Amino acid sequence: MALDLDLTQTSGLKPLLALARNNAYIQDARRFTIGPMSVAPFMETFLPLASDDTGGFLSAERDFDDIPVRADNAAEIFEPLVSALDKKTETESRCPGFAFEKTYEHSLRPARLGYAKPHICCFAPENLAHVRSAHRGSRAEFGYAELFIQTTPDPEIDFFVDPEPDADEGTLAEHEFIQKRYKAIDRAFGLHMSFVAEIFARQHRRCLFTVSLAGSHARLYRWDRSGCVVTRAFDVREDSVTFAEFFWRFSKLSDGDRGHDLTVRLASAEEESLFRETVRAHVALQLGVAGEELDKAILAHYKPGHVTAIRVDSQPPQQTGNDTFIVSRPVASALSVDGPGTRGYWAVSAATGRIAFLKDTWRRCSRRSPSEVEGDVLLHLNELGVCNIPQFTAHGDVMDHLSTEPPYQDTLTGQLSAEPWKCRIDNKEVYVSRRRHYRLVTQTVGYSLKTIRGTEELLHSTYDVFQAMRYALAKASRSHRDLSAGNIILVKEHDRSVRKGYLIDWEASDRVDDKGESIHTGRNGTWAFNSMRLLGDRKHEELKHTFQDDMESLLYVVFYCALLYLPHDLSDEWLTWTHDRFFYDTEMMGKSLCGGKGKLANAWYREYTFRLHFESAAFQEWFDTMLDYHHPRKVGDPKLTDRWKPEVVDAFWSHFLETHDLERDNRTVHHLIKFEQYDPDSPESEPRPSPSPPRPSKRSVDIGDPDAVHDERPRKSRRRNNVVAATSSSAPHHSPTTAHHTTSPDSHVPLRRSQRIRARAGKSGPIPQSAEGSQPSKPKSNARRTRSVQTRATKRSRK
């Protein structure tokens, strides 16, 4: 999996945020779960038998009677279960060729969400040795698990509610499949989903089978990148033969049918050596580092012994064929259950030994409205001479040699969306889209915009991106529609002293008509960087994206990076409040999720930027000018009227870069206070009280990472708790891959319960300082004034 910017831990798996992350999974499950499917058709559909041979099948008569209908704890369920599953004779076994392990006990803190592991995992024997020899604090189980079983002691702790067995189609169509929400139910299934997400992130998979037991009542699941198919519950004591048959059928499946991607294999020793040396040379070129710094920087892309070779099936307009690219650790990996599951790798061509970038994703694939494939778009832009975009190498949908119709790796969950047994969720029909596995390879390989060294690199690289946007519009009549901090990379080139900016990820781009509006309607892009217009309209499904929306998004990208990586005078409290309210304001307007009030208030009254002063006078000048070009504070000012045009902004920006000396190495990493749900049963993961916290927004993902939100639906969180903030760091940075994080010495020391009560009762702590040095009203109390300003701004804009 990808590492954080400081290369110290796996990205996205912070134990503190486990509860919030699991609750987000619960919300997602309501969108993509198909069920309940009867067990027999489930096994016939997903675990078919190639013959009638029942050799090796171990009779299951009364083998699961030791599993209680209800228990006091989960161990009373999984202890007898693993014994029954491991039962075997000389010629027969429950799951021939596989072994079951109580992986719950492999965790250092098994009862805590951020450290938890499944109760039971199924492994191939050759991989079981790796798991047993791994440190208990590692997550090796998720890299080798074939399937897992999760248990709860109470049969009522079941996320799903089955209809009556003899219910007719009308009753089934109206039946509510998900239980009323209770903490124990949500916690159990959210944890189950978190294990699925981590296995998808650590393995090259097409699908995954899992099992849950609530008391002695079991359900079977099949997960893919479109969603989940779940069976009716059945009692393993009464229907032990069916339960045993599932594992026996599972053992008879090929690797591909069990969910593995057969287009990926372990790299040979020669291929790993080629990858290591090629990546090492490119890192040295891009960062200008050597020795220990170089060794550390390589960790972002290479983990010894974990190198694979991926086949890329090329399709027209190229000649049909395939190439092999060697990869190791991704620079980006999705910690999600459904969706594209995009992973990006620094790759090396096995044929040429050249560095490349490989994007592995599951794209939407609809027969009704086929979308443009990103590789075709990129190749067309290259042919037209659009600058500052990646250079196309190869692309193609991933072939499926297990099937002839269709011949590609497609998700299967959506094929069951119209089945008569499918029930409603939240009183709505569940529609699951089809996705197809797709890979794209480009020649352009660099580092994230979040690794900027200073002001000069930020403004020069984003101007490069602005040029790419303008050329794409002028030469190809195309707008990007997803400008974000994650979709810009920095590349060191010989003719420039600072790295060049490249605009990547053209998957969401669209052609524009004569009016400059996108052909297709609807809100696109990353929520944090969307324009005010797209966020604020409750009828956003009918809106058409414009180039001005992309320009506004780019302005927000610069602002975001400046807030987090350039020196300024905002305290951590003010920074967090500004960041949260400006980028992630959300509210429900009718049935639509809208936002942008923070951006609107700042456009009219500079509500969030008036107290912000950047250390760089040149950057402050650029930023203030661009804000006035976008939306002048003095409406009707003839000097600023109608300045938000591409040619006007281009003229100002290019002249500014020519006439100003900008700071090259003034990177300063600022830290956000977290307002997230934490695990209340884990003293180690409970945050210490923080004085006078700002008012948090309605999000449950890490608010420091806007790229954690890949669509227009920010996660929601019901309960907020804060983590003490780290201090800002202005230490010099020799490597842009390293974000130097400075924390208070005792920031992770847990408090006793009595200490927490006294701390909360006392409500002690310093008051945040304003930019001017006085003691303003706290950001939280300032929210009322902000809301009134936003309301006035909204009314004024409507007029």
Side-chain angles (χ1 to χ4, degrees):
M1 292 177 64
L3 296 177
D4 282 338
L5 280 179
D6 62 359
L7 308 183
T8 58
Q9 61 183 349
T10 303
S11 179
L13 281 180
K14 298 176 180 65
L16 278 173
L17 305 181
L19 183 60
R21 188 166 58 245
N22 293 357
N23 284 349
Y25 291 142
I26 287 293
Q27 293 292 339
D28 290 342
R30 310 173 89 86
R31 294 186 289 101
F32 60 62
T33 303
I34 304 294
M37 190 175 187
S38 295
V39 177
F42 179 91
M43 292 197 292
E44 288 295 332
T45 301
F46 299 123
L47 299 92
L49 292 176
S51 68
D52 296 331
D53 180 19
T54 59
F57 180 71
L58 180 65
S59 175
E61 289 295 332
R62 309 192 68 83
D63 278 359
F64 299 102
D65 283 0
D66 290 341
I67 299 173
V69 176
R70 186 186 303 270
D72 293 329
N73 55 68
E76 294 179 10
I77 305 294
F78 68 75
E79 290 281 0
L81 177 59
V82 76
S83 297
L85 292 174
D86 275 335
K87 183 179 179 180
K88 63 180 66 176
T89 66
E90 292 184 1
T91 59
E92 297 175 336
S93 65
R94 189 74 63 216
C95 192
F98 296 91
F100 294 90
E101 186 85 353
K102 291 181 288 185
T103 47
Y104 174 82
E105 300 172 350
H106 288 194
S107 172
L108 290 174
R109 303 176 178 88
R112 298 173 185 169
L113 291 184
Y115 304 91
K117 297 177 182 179
H119 291 129
I120 302 172
C121 280
C122 175
F123 300 102
E126 63 270 19
N127 293 331
L128 183 58
H130 293 296
V131 173
R132 287 177 173 173
S133 63
H135 187 270
R136 292 177 65 191
S138 77
R139 312 288 286 179
E141 295 81 1
F142 296 95
Y144 294 108
E146 294 289 338
L147 64 75
F148 69 82
I149 305 172
Q150 191 67 8
T151 70
T152 57
D154 190 342
E156 295 182 3
I157 304 179
D158 187 347
F159 191 63
F160 303 103
V161 181
D162 291 337
E164 293 298 325
D166 58 350
D168 57 30
E169 289 190 16
T171 303
L172 290 172
E174 296 299 323
H175 179 77
E176 178 60 43
F177 188 40
I178 289 184
Q179 287 243 38
K180 292 182 179 179
R181 300 194 66 186
Y182 298 106
K183 181 177 178 180
I185 297 173
D186 283 1
R187 182 185 176 99
F189 195 63
L191 187 62
H192 190 121
M193 292 183 66
S194 73
F195 297 152
V196 174
E198 189 166 351
I199 288 176
F200 273 154
R202 293 187 183 274
Q203 298 187 30
H204 294 274
R205 277 196 168 271
R206 305 170 56 193
C207 68
L208 175 70
F209 290 96
T210 69
V211 181
S212 70
L213 266 76
S216 62
H217 289 78
R219 291 187 189 272
L220 311 178
Y221 305 82
R222 183 191 182 276
W223 308 81
D224 62 26
R225 282 297 178 181
S226 283
C228 172
V229 180
V230 57
T231 69
R232 283 178 173 268
F234 62 97
D235 195 320
V236 300
R237 296 159 57 95
E238 299 175 1
D239 206 351
S240 58
V241 175
T242 298
F243 194 48
E245 184 183 349
F246 167 76
F247 295 103
W248 182 75
R249 281 176 176 256
F250 181 81
S251 72
K252 296 298 181 180
L253 297 177
S254 66
D255 289 343
D257 286 331
R258 284 199 307 276
H260 294 286
D261 182 359
L262 300 184
T263 66
V264 180
R265 61 171 174 79
L266 287 175
S268 66
E270 294 77 12
E271 288 173 328
E272 178 168 351
S273 177
L274 173 64
F275 177 83
R276 181 181 61 251
E277 296 308 315
T278 304
V279 168
R280 184 179 186 86
H282 195 69
V283 170
L285 171 66
Q286 291 296 309
L287 302 183
V289 295
E292 292 184 1
E293 276 192 285
L294 178 57
D295 293 337
K296 181 178 181 181
I298 291 173
L299 295 178
H301 314 287
Y302 170 58
K303 182 174 177 62
H306 293 73
V307 181
T308 54
I310 296 181
R311 191 186 73 223
V312 176
D313 298 302
S314 299
Q315 289 150 23
Q318 290 184 313
Q319 183 178 357
T320 302
N322 60 74
D323 298 303
T324 299
F325 291 87
I326 311 166
V327 305
S328 182
R329 188 191 298 279
V331 296
S333 54
L335 198 61
S336 60
V337 175
D338 72 322
T342 303
R343 283 186 279 204
Y345 300 89
W346 280 28
V348 174
S349 169
T352 66
R354 293 179 180 175
I355 195 76
F357 188 85
L358 189 152
K359 177 179 180 179
D360 183 283
T361 188
W362 289 80
R363 66 179 184 86
R364 288 189 181 275
C365 183
S366 174
R367 293 178 181 177
R368 294 181 179 179
S369 55
S371 59
E372 294 178 285
V373 179
E374 183 180 2
D376 291 336
V377 172
L378 193 58
L379 179 60
H380 181 57
L381 294 177
N382 287 162
E383 291 172 343
L384 293 175
V386 176
C387 64
N388 305 335
I389 64 171
Q391 291 297 303
F392 174 89
T393 297
H395 80 133
D397 293 324
V398 181
M399 303 295 290
D400 182 4
H401 295 287
L402 301 175
S403 173
T404 57
E405 187 59 40
Y408 303 109
Q409 292 187 9
D410 284 5
T411 55
L412 300 182
T413 301
Q415 294 183 9
L416 303 176
S417 292
E419 291 295 324
W421 45 259
K422 186 191 72 172
C423 293
R424 299 167 71 87
I425 294 180
D426 291 338
N427 201 32
K428 298 177 183 177
E429 283 286 329
V430 178
Y431 172 76
V432 177
S433 62
R434 182 164 61 106
R435 290 185 178 273
R436 177 168 292 174
H437 202 178
Y438 173 76
R439 291 181 179 132
L440 170 66
V441 182
T442 63
Q443 300 175 23
T444 309
V445 184
Y447 282 89
S448 167
L449 180 65
K450 297 176 185 178
T451 66
I452 53 167
R453 290 187 172 102
T455 303
E456 182 183 32
E457 197 163 62
L458 175 60
L459 291 186
H460 276 274
S461 62
T462 48
Y463 179 69
D464 295 332
V465 168
F466 184 58
Q467 291 299 305
M469 294 161 51
R470 291 201 66 193
Y471 271 74
L473 181 67
K475 295 189 174 186
S477 297
R478 180 171 292 275
S479 62
H480 188 274
R481 300 201 307 169
D482 191 13
L483 267 293
S484 72
N487 285 343
I488 299 173
I489 62 171
L490 307 175
V491 180
K492 181 69 174 71
E493 298 185 350
H494 296 290
D495 59 342
R496 286 179 49 144
S497 57
V498 295
R499 291 178 291 179
K500 179 184 284 188
Y502 281 80
L503 182 56
I504 64 173
D505 274 345
W506 289 82
E507 183 178 3
S509 68
D510 195 14
R511 291 170 290 110
V512 299
D513 57 24
D514 295 337
K515 297 180 181 179
E517 297 178 335
S518 62
I519 302 299
H520 298 92
T521 60
R523 182 192 293 155
N524 285 276
T526 305
W527 183 275
F529 306 112
N530 264 332
S531 68
M532 299 183 299
R533 183 180 70 92
L534 294 175
L535 291 176
D537 198 317
R538 69 179 66 191
K539 297 182 179 179
H540 56 81
E541 297 90 352
E542 303 173 6
L543 295 180
K544 291 189 174 184
H545 205 102
T546 67
F547 188 80
Q548 279 70 23
D549 292 317
D550 275 356
M551 289 173 57
E552 187 176 338
S553 295
L554 183 60
L555 176 59
Y556 297 149
V557 168
V558 176
F559 181 35
Y560 170 83
C561 290
L563 270 178
L564 295 184
Y565 306 120
L566 294 186
H568 55 69
D569 59 0
L570 281 189
S571 65
D572 291 329
E573 290 83 359
W574 280 117
L575 171 68
T576 303
W577 182 69
T578 299
H579 174 277
D580 196 20
R581 300 285 293 181
F582 186 92
F583 291 103
Y584 296 105
D585 169 75
T586 60
E587 67 171 326
M588 292 300 299
M589 297 178 65
K591 296 182 179 180
S592 298
L593 186 63
C594 297
K597 283 188 175 180
K599 295 172 182 176
L600 185 64
N602 199 74
W604 282 97
Y605 304 108
R606 303 297 187 265
E607 177 66 20
Y608 295 90
T609 57
F610 82 91
R611 67 174 62 85
L612 170 63
H613 301 92
F614 289 97
E615 185 178 286
S616 170
F619 181 82
Q620 188 74 53
E621 177 188 342
W622 180 93
F623 186 55
D624 290 340
T625 303
M626 290 290 281
L627 289 178
D628 285 339
Y629 276 22
H630 172 240
H631 199 288
R633 281 171 290 185
K634 297 179 180 179
V635 178
D637 187 339
K639 297 180 180 179
L640 299 174
T641 301
D642 204 18
R643 307 292 287 173
W644 194 241
K645 294 182 176 179
E647 60 275 12
V648 177
V649 171
D650 193 334
F652 160 72
W653 202 338
S654 60
H655 182 262
F656 180 90
L657 295 178
E658 292 173 357
T659 57
H660 288 71
D661 292 326
L662 302 175
E663 295 81 358
R664 178 164 297 182
D665 296 304
N666 63 334
R667 175 185 175 92
T668 304
V669 178
H670 303 274
H671 298 269
L672 300 170
I673 303 172
K674 308 298 181 188
F675 296 96
E676 302 293 351
Q677 298 187 26
Y678 60 87
D679 179 1
D681 297 328
S682 174
E684 288 291 333
S685 64
E686 179 172 344
R688 300 173 62 213
S690 178
S692 305
R695 185 186 182 104
S697 69
K698 301 177 180 179
R699 296 183 71 246
S700 64
V701 297
D702 186 344
I703 62 175
D705 185 4
D707 299 317
V709 185
H710 293 287
D711 56 25
E712 63 182 66
R713 298 176 301 275
R715 317 290 189 192
K716 290 191 174 181
S717 179
R718 292 180 178 271
R719 188 159 50 93
R720 306 288 168 191
N721 296 280
N722 54 296
V723 182
V724 66
T727 59
S728 298
S729 169
S730 58
H733 294 264
H734 302 290
S735 170
T737 62
T738 304
H740 294 265
H741 295 268
T742 307
T743 57
S744 56
D746 60 345
S747 61
H748 298 292
V749 178
L751 295 178
R752 296 179 182 272
R753 183 172 182 271
S754 58
Q755 291 175 312
R756 297 198 302 271
I757 293 174
R758 287 196 297 271
R760 289 166 182 166
K763 298 181 181 179
S764 60
I767 299 176
Q769 296 293 312
S770 72
E772 291 77 16
S774 60
Q775 291 186 351
S777 58
K778 304 184 187 79
K780 182 175 182 179
S781 63
N782 196 44
R784 180 179 301 173
R785 174 175 175 267
T786 301
R787 285 195 296 271
S788 63
V789 169
Q790 293 169 343
T791 302
R792 293 198 306 271
T794 303
K795 292 179 179 178
R796 188 171 181 180
S797 65
R798 289 174 179 170
K799 293 181 181 179

